[in-house]
Amino acid sequence: MSSSSPSSPQPKRPLSILQRSINRKVAVRLKSEIEYKGRMNNVDSYMNLILTDAEEFNGNDVMANYGKVVIRGNNVLFIRLEKDI
């Protein structure tokens, strides 16, 4: 049995990281293998996302450009924070 000491690092919480990353660029891969890239405008406790200036990708091909996209959290496979340039 192991106990955590007060000096041990806190576990990372994905939702907290996402909430602190509002207005950053993200890539969101859906379970359907479609990927969206854009600026994360909002995220809620269900990990529903709102992206602005979003692009839809299928592989490396841009399929469509959108002003705003709402993505339901239960369709998300992963969310990757992009490096801002």
Side-chain angles (χ1 to χ4, degrees):
M1 193 188 293
S2 71
S3 64
S4 61
S5 67
S7 63
S8 64
Q10 291 284 14
K12 292 184 180 178
R13 297 195 166 166
L15 183 57
S16 298
I17 292 169
L18 287 174
Q19 289 170 333
R20 287 192 309 266
S21 299
I22 298 293
N23 292 322
R24 284 192 55 194
K25 290 185 180 181
V26 296
V28 181
R29 172 72 57 97
L30 304 184
K31 294 174 185 175
S32 64
E33 298 296 317
I34 293 174
E35 189 166 310
Y36 290 90
K37 292 183 182 180
R39 193 162 300 277
M40 185 172 52
N41 188 267
N42 205 349
V43 61
D44 68 10
S45 61
Y46 296 101
M47 290 199 188
N48 296 319
L49 301 164
I50 298 176
L51 301 183
T52 55
D53 301 324
E55 294 179 308
E56 179 181 327
F57 288 85
N58 192 352
N60 291 330
D61 301 326
V62 177
M63 303 303 288
N65 291 304
Y66 301 104
K68 185 180 281 189
V69 173
V70 178
I71 300 173
R72 188 174 165 138
N74 67 346
N75 293 319
V76 173
L77 183 62
F78 67 80
I79 302 168
R80 180 179 61 237
L81 298 174
E82 300 284 297
K83 301 219 185 284
D84 287 326
I85 299 174

